[in-house]
Amino acid sequence: MKILKALAVLGALVSLAPAARAAEGSVELPHTRFSFDGIFGTFDRAAAQRGFQVYKEVCSACHSMRLLSYRNLREIGLSEAQVQAIAATVEVQDGPNDEGQMFARPGRASDRFHSPFANEAAARAANNGALPPDFSVIAKAREGGARYLHALLTGYADAPAGFNLGQGMNYNRYFPGHQIAMAPPLNEGQVTFADQTPATVEQMAHDVATFLAWAAEPELEERRQMGVKIILFLAVLGVLAYGVKRRVWADLH
């Protein structure tokens, strides 16, 4: 009897969990279409390249991507010369040399993305105690992925009447609790795209979300292609197995 009562209580708690989450004020994200949606979706290379530009010119001032190397950018369509030129814009500490001294050199394609801060303490000190998250796998680390990132970047607005906005905080429709320390990072015309795409906040948010989705899961297309091949193989194998079965047992029916 005690076990039955315990199971009943547990069932009641489980049934109340969705209501509790709703009471916390979970926000429904707006529907945003990306080229990599669906089983046959692929990354839009042009959008990913524009997204990298937004990251480099805007986001990289605070957010690192320590799991990526510059050479990985070849996978979004950049040439070897472009990758080397991008890497050479940063200064990397290397060594020791033959004299046992550390030295600075231009970045190489094999180097990891340059971090804006020397360590976490320096990052917090420069951001009023807040630690900007690393962007390497941010699209996988946040529920909603690219849709959440796009919504967050376009969700800044004036706080509604009666909302108690903390000092130094910014109102965002899609951030949990609607208060975020990061000021709106994107402004109209903030970057100039080489392909002449208008740099609206919507466009920049969509492109950088595409780039971050690729960075978090660069093998997505290859995995999907392999999955389709396996499904086709199993389908053909199933048809052949059924035909063999009918052939072998035909005389017994």
Side-chain angles (χ1 to χ4, degrees), residues 32-224:
T32 306
R33 291 187 61 84
F34 289 95
S35 62
F36 49 87
D37 291 338
I39 189 172
F40 298 108
T42 59
F43 289 112
D44 182 341
R45 262 49 183 183
Q49 290 179 30
R50 292 193 301 268
F52 167 69
Q53 183 179 346
V54 175
Y55 165 76
K56 183 175 182 293
E57 296 184 16
V58 181
C59 310
S60 65
C62 296
H63 298 276
S64 60
M65 292 190 76
R66 61 178 179 269
L67 299 183
L68 259 69
S69 298
Y70 291 106
R71 62 188 173 193
N72 296 135
L73 295 174
R74 295 193 295 255
E75 299 175 25
I76 61 172
L78 295 183
S79 67
E80 185 65 35
Q82 288 175 310
V83 171
Q84 291 178 356
I86 291 169
T89 61
V90 302
E91 192 174 81
V92 177
Q93 189 176 42
D94 204 346
N97 57 20
D98 293 340
E99 299 176 352
Q101 301 296 320
M102 302 298 291
F103 60 93
R105 61 164 175 81
R108 301 169 183 158
S110 58
D111 290 325
R112 297 291 179 93
F113 275 29
H114 181 68
S115 178
F117 303 106
N119 49 59
E120 288 190 4
R124 290 185 183 278
N127 291 276
N128 297 319
L131 178 64
D134 181 82
F135 272 2
S136 301
V137 293
I138 195 71
K140 295 286 288 183
R142 297 293 185 268
E143 184 176 359
R147 287 181 59 214
Y148 168 75
L149 298 176
H150 175 270
L152 180 71
L153 291 172
T154 58
Y156 287 91
D158 293 332
F163 185 85
N164 186 20
L165 187 65
Q167 184 177 4
M169 303 298 284
N170 300 274
Y171 182 82
N172 190 291
R173 293 188 296 268
Y174 304 108
F175 189 75
H178 304 299
Q179 299 196 57
I180 184 171
M182 180 177 68
L186 301 179
N187 300 289
E188 298 287 326
Q190 193 168 358
V191 302
T192 301
F193 293 128
D195 62 2
Q196 304 304 312
T197 299
T200 63
V201 171
E202 167 69 27
Q203 185 68 57
M204 290 186 289
H206 188 278
D207 291 342
V208 77
T210 297
F211 170 69
L212 294 176
W214 165 81
E217 205 169 6
E219 77 290 347
L220 176 68
E221 296 168 330
E222 182 180 352
R223 190 178 70 247
R224 285 177 174 173

Side-chain angles (χ1 to χ4, degrees), residues 7-27:
L7 290 175
V9 172
L10 180 60
L13 292 175
V14 171
S15 65
L16 289 174
R21 286 194 295 269
E24 292 175 357
S26 59
V27 179

